[in-house]
Amino acid sequence: MLEIKNLHARLNDGREILKGIDLHVEAGEVHAIMGPNGSGKSTLASVLAGRGGYEITQGSVTYEGRDLLAMEADERAREGVFLAFQYPVEIPGVNNMYFLRAALNAARRHRGEPELDAGQFLRAVRAKLKLLEISEDLMQRAVNVGFSGGEKKRNEIFQMAMLEPRLAILDETDSGLDIDALRLVARGVNGLRAPDRAIVMITHYQRLLDYVEPDRVHVLQGGRIVESGDKSLAAELERRGYGAVGDAA
Amino acid sequence: MSAVVNFPVKPEARPYIEAFTAPSDEPDWLARSRRHGLDRFAKLGFPSRRSEDWRYLDLRALEEHPLFPVEPPEKPEQPGVTIVDINDFILVLVDGRWVPHLSWLRDLPEGVWFGSLRTAMTERPDLARAALAGADDGSSFDALNAAFASDGFILDIAPDVELFAPIEIVHLSLAGGAAHTRNLISIGARSRVIVAENFFGTGRYWRNDVAAWRIGEGAALTRVAVIEEDAEATHLDRVSATLGDASRLDGFVLMLGGGTVRHEASVTLAGADAQCRINGAFIVAGGEEANIVTAIDHATTGGTTSELIKGVAAGRAHGAFQGKIIVREGAQRTDARQTSRNLILGRRAVIDTKPELEILADDVKCAHGASVGELDEAALFYLRARGIPLEEARRILVEGFLAEPIENIAHVAVRQHLLRRLSLKLGRLEDWS
């Protein structure tokens, strides 16, 4: 599903952040990418989603056999790539429901499916809201405006549940969540595990991985993946810290 | 009869003076008022761009290719752009003249007089005189309006009347000339009303309206205007409002189109504890110009003013907001807030914003803020990261930006009407850079 080869990326100011990432993710798998602050985790998520401000200097990203980096951000999303933002953006004046319906219908048009009418849309929304225990009032407000930190993160997972992506990238979705919110988010993510879907979770802590069990765990440090393993690696990292990893590399 | 004047006439005023014909069937006071207006316009000519109030507007087209009053078409059709509220009273003016068959003025509640200026000349000459005498600031276009005024509307409400359904007025320009209307809204003590005005037209025309609003003690006027003129049209309108003790004015103007559009509101808080809220939103594209000019005068104690004006400019368009707030000596406990927020799309569009506070009292709260920026890149990326194509993402953000002040309109049908007009306008807009 996703094949990253020798990916190098730098900021527009010239600082190189990613220094040769290699990653292979199959459909149906859940991968966790862990690493200390400044290791390049969020840059990797941004580059995959197509955020501006980065320059790819080497390497390739292939998604479902296509060159992901050649697509615009909105095309990637319509093709099934979803980024759950570390810092969801507040958009005053734009109603949540309106925004979500525009997003859903953009993807449906792209796939040649008819757009959802207001009734169909509302039914779909209600089912998923329940799963994440989000109140319907929140949906009538402007996008993320006046949401608590936990509500913003749950809203990201709710959007993911609505859009049903094939590749979901979760950028520090667990940060700033209390234990109840973390459980809800984990429930949402687990609900999306499917044989035709891959999930990449980027996180600093092992906490989320207690609830969403990864198939593979990678350690990102200094812009490279320095170690990979199964879920036991996460627990080991928690014990020994990032300092001891990758010294051999 | 052509007019002859015995003093120097400004060259750009000459064609207008020559085109003037005094109607024969009018009372003396009106003939004198027209004559007086014409004389003043002859002396003043068009306002200079050196004058601070008019510096943002280019009126050369009207100087070089003047537009004169015309007869409206025989049987104009229903404009189809109204709020359509079941209990509506509606008055339609086409090319500055009342069109009875498109209007609905029957069964007005007790204490309400609503009709055309010409009807008032016979039925309520007191109101007609008040309309034509009011709103005289000595400016060029007031003077020209006084000379050429063809018709207009008058809404007069006795004390203690509450109207729930909005009163609608539609101003249509179809014949391509100039329309000069005079309008009066007068609200008796403790009465409440919502007035919604829509401005539409096709072709090259010039609208020059003058209105006076008087809001009695404890009364409330909500007035919204939607201006969607033709890209070749010039729309100038000026309102002067007087607020009595503990009265409330809630004004909203949505400017969606027109080659050259200028909306001016001069509000005097003459009574104590009056409340004035003026909100507005404009979008200009192509080569359009839009200008909102407000002057809010706190003449006495305890008044509050709140202003939020949002603007968007695309293409080569130019938008401007000039907002003056005066707090007179002795107008203690005044609370005035003014905010101007603007978005520029593309590199050739321009927005000017000019707040001006003149505070002569010491126990007051006054705040103002102004900003001009571009679309928020982070928000744009967020929408695109959800699959929304760039053009649509831009449209959603612009719509959200301009909808914010509209969301504050309490009347549901009126609010939805404005949101729908905005949405339709943005759907048609091609020029996003």
Side-chain angles (χ1 to χ4, degrees):
Chain A
M1 171 158 304
L2 181 72
E3 183 78 57
I4 303 176
K5 279 189 178 158
N6 191 32
L7 184 66
H8 288 251
R10 63 181 183 203
L11 288 169
N12 283 346
D13 66 13
R15 265 186 302 150
E16 190 170 45
I17 308 291
L18 301 183
K19 300 171 181 171
I21 302 260
D22 289 288
L23 183 69
H24 178 84
V25 180
E26 286 291 337
E29 290 180 346
V30 175
H31 287 232
I33 297 179
M34 304 183 68
N37 291 331
S39 59
K41 300 192 302 289
S42 282
T43 297
L44 177 61
S46 293
V47 165
L48 293 177
R51 191 197 295 268
Y54 301 95
E55 191 194 343
I56 310 300
T57 50
Q58 267 187 75
S60 65
V61 179
T62 310
Y63 165 70
E64 306 244 319
R66 292 181 60 190
D67 178 4
L68 187 73
L69 301 176
M71 294 185 225
E72 293 289 337
D74 47 292
E75 192 189 351
R76 296 181 199 192
R78 291 193 298 275
E79 286 287 338
V81 178
F82 181 92
L83 171 66
F85 281 56
Q86 182 180 3
Y87 303 109
V89 181
E90 296 186 9
I91 312 181
V94 177
N95 175 282
N96 244 304
M97 293 285 260
Y98 180 77
F99 153 68
L100 193 57
R101 198 169 153 200
L104 207 57
N105 282 333
R108 293 179 69 91
R109 279 197 305 273
H110 185 70
R111 296 193 296 262
E113 294 166 11
E115 296 192 8
L116 291 182
D117 67 34
Q120 293 167 318
F121 175 68
L122 197 62
R123 279 192 291 280
V125 162
R126 286 197 171 132
K128 309 277 187 194
L129 281 178
K130 222 169 166 174
L131 183 76
L132 286 153
E133 296 182 16
I134 297 176
S135 83
E136 216 171 305
D137 306 347
L138 220 53
M139 289 296 104
Q140 293 303 343
R141 289 203 227 147
V143 177
N144 292 321
V145 176
F147 286 35
S148 70
E151 284 170 338
K152 282 181 185 172
K153 294 299 178 81
R154 271 188 280 159
N155 192 27
E156 293 293 292
I157 303 304
F158 164 66
Q159 289 172 22
M160 180 169 88
M162 288 297 298
L163 293 167
E164 301 181 317
R166 285 208 294 267
L167 172 64
I169 302 154
L170 276 54
D171 188 8
E172 309 237 3
T173 299
D174 53 338
S175 67
L177 292 185
D178 62 28
I179 195 71
D180 293 330
L182 187 68
R183 279 205 187 100
L184 285 170
V185 161
R187 192 206 288 174
V189 175
N190 283 324
L192 279 163
R193 291 184 87 138
D196 60 350
R197 180 174 293 135
I199 298 172
V200 176
M201 297 185 295
I202 290 170
T203 180
H204 188 92
Y205 303 104
Q206 194 216 336
R207 225 162 55 122
L208 180 64
L209 309 184
D210 291 339
Y211 298 94
V212 184
E213 212 170 272
D215 299 297
R216 300 285 294 161
V217 175
H218 311 276
V219 179
L220 185 63
Q221 202 157 20
R224 273 195 205 94
I225 287 176
V226 293
E227 197 173 355
S228 295
D230 61 16
K231 65 178 182 197
S232 64
L233 178 58
E236 196 186 323
L237 283 169
E238 192 80 357
R239 213 170 49 244
R240 70 179 195 211
Y242 290 114
V245 192
D247 286 349
Chain B
M1 184 195 88
S2 189
V4 182
V5 291
N6 55 2
F7 49 79
V9 172
K10 288 273 174 139
E12 72 274 14
R14 195 168 293 280
Y16 291 93
I17 309 295
E18 282 164 6
F20 178 77
T21 319
S24 53
D25 55 345
E26 290 181 340
D28 283 349
W29 66 264
L30 183 51
R32 277 198 305 275
S33 160
R34 290 191 189 281
R35 188 70 225 185
H36 182 62
L38 198 68
D39 286 354
R40 273 195 299 144
F41 182 67
K43 278 183 203 154
L44 293 166
F46 275 55
S48 156
R49 287 191 85 167
R50 280 185 303 250
S51 107
E52 197 53 35
D53 281 358
W54 290 90
R55 59 181 289 199
Y56 295 117
L57 229 47
D58 184 355
L59 296 166
R60 272 173 307 182
L62 286 178
E63 295 182 32
E64 288 159 16
H65 307 283
L67 286 169
F68 308 114
V70 283
E71 288 297 316
E74 278 288 294
K75 272 267 169 187
E77 281 175 29
Q78 172 64 28
V81 284
T82 59
I83 299 170
V84 195
D85 224 347
I86 216 102
N87 301 313
D88 253 356
F89 300 106
I90 185 163
L91 188 147
V92 179
L93 293 156
V94 178
D95 297 311
R97 286 184 187 263
W98 176 44
V99 180
H101 80 271
L102 296 179
S103 306
W104 182 269
L105 304 171
R106 271 172 284 177
D107 308 321
L108 283 160
E110 177 93 31
V112 177
W113 197 93
F114 179 41
S116 76
L117 175 67
R118 283 185 174 272
T119 310
M121 297 282 292
T122 48
E123 284 184 19
R124 287 292 302 270
D126 58 321
L127 293 177
R129 281 191 89 140
L132 286 154
D136 185 354
D137 75 338
S139 82
S140 301
F141 296 124
D142 269 28
L144 193 64
N145 178 289
F148 281 100
S150 53
D151 206 343
F153 77 87
I154 292 175
L155 173 64
D156 180 74
I157 301 180
D160 300 301
V161 175
E162 185 163 4
L163 289 176
F164 293 98
I167 295 271
E168 283 192 64
I169 300 100
V170 176
H171 304 264
L172 270 174
S173 297
L174 300 174
H180 302 267
T181 69
R182 277 257 159 169
N183 310 308
L184 172 69
I185 300 175
S186 178
I187 320 272
R190 297 167 304 279
S191 288
R192 308 170 74 86
V193 66
I194 300 166
V195 175
E197 292 186 62
N198 291 287
F199 299 84
F200 299 90
T202 52
R204 179 171 181 254
Y205 58 88
W206 176 20
R207 149 178 310 289
N208 177 36
D209 290 353
V210 176
W213 303 341
R214 297 172 185 168
I215 308 172
E217 186 187 332
L221 169 65
T222 298
R223 188 267 194 173
V224 301
V226 182
I227 300 171
E228 285 187 86
E229 306 281 20
D230 194 280
E232 288 182 77
T234 299
H235 169 121
L236 308 178
D237 78 85
R238 200 175 80 80
V239 168
S240 59
T242 309
L243 275 62
D245 284 343
S247 68
R248 181 179 170 87
L249 168 64
D250 203 338
F252 193 95
V253 59
L254 178 63
M255 290 160 60
L256 297 176
T260 303
V261 178
R262 184 179 195 270
H263 167 71
E264 181 179 344
S266 302
V267 181
T268 303
L269 283 73
D273 303 317
Q275 295 175 52
C276 167
R277 181 164 79 166
I278 304 271
N279 287 354
F282 67 83
I283 179 160
V284 277
E288 292 175 336
E289 291 187 299
N291 200 179
I292 295 182
V293 183
T294 65
I296 298 173
D297 188 343
H298 286 258
T300 186
T301 53
T304 60
T305 285
S306 135
E307 272 189 295
L308 171 62
I309 307 290
K310 288 191 139 186
V312 174
R316 295 169 288 113
H318 181 199
F321 167 64
Q322 291 153 275
K324 187 188 278 185
I325 295 177
I326 305 165
V327 182
R328 302 273 171 195
E329 212 180 317
Q332 303 295 15
R333 293 181 293 106
T334 290
D335 187 344
R337 278 169 294 139
Q338 181 192 76
T339 309
S340 158
R341 298 266 172 264
N342 303 283
L343 275 182
I344 301 277
L345 308 174
R347 272 174 299 178
R348 292 175 304 162
V350 176
I351 291 186
D352 290 293
T353 173
K354 195 178 144 235
E356 204 182 323
L357 266 57
E358 201 180 311
I359 302 170
L360 305 168
D362 51 15
D363 179 18
V364 298
K365 274 190 267 180
C366 280
H368 69 90
S371 65
V372 180
E374 295 174 7
L375 274 181
D376 179 4
E377 281 297 326
L380 206 53
F381 176 66
Y382 192 72
L383 296 183
R384 296 185 75 194
R386 296 296 174 257
I388 298 171
L390 179 60
E391 296 279 290
E392 191 182 349
R394 283 197 182 128
R395 186 182 58 68
I396 288 172
L397 290 181
V398 168
E399 191 169 340
F401 178 77
L402 292 177
E404 191 205 347
I406 302 176
E407 301 284 356
N408 291 324
I409 296 171
H411 193 282
V412 178
V414 172
R415 181 174 68 238
Q416 283 175 348
H417 170 67
L418 265 62
L419 290 171
R420 193 167 57 241
R421 297 314 305 176
L422 173 63
S423 186
L424 287 171
K425 166 70 185 183
L426 293 176
R428 285 194 308 269
L429 196 69
E430 286 164 5
D431 169 16
W432 287 98
S433 55

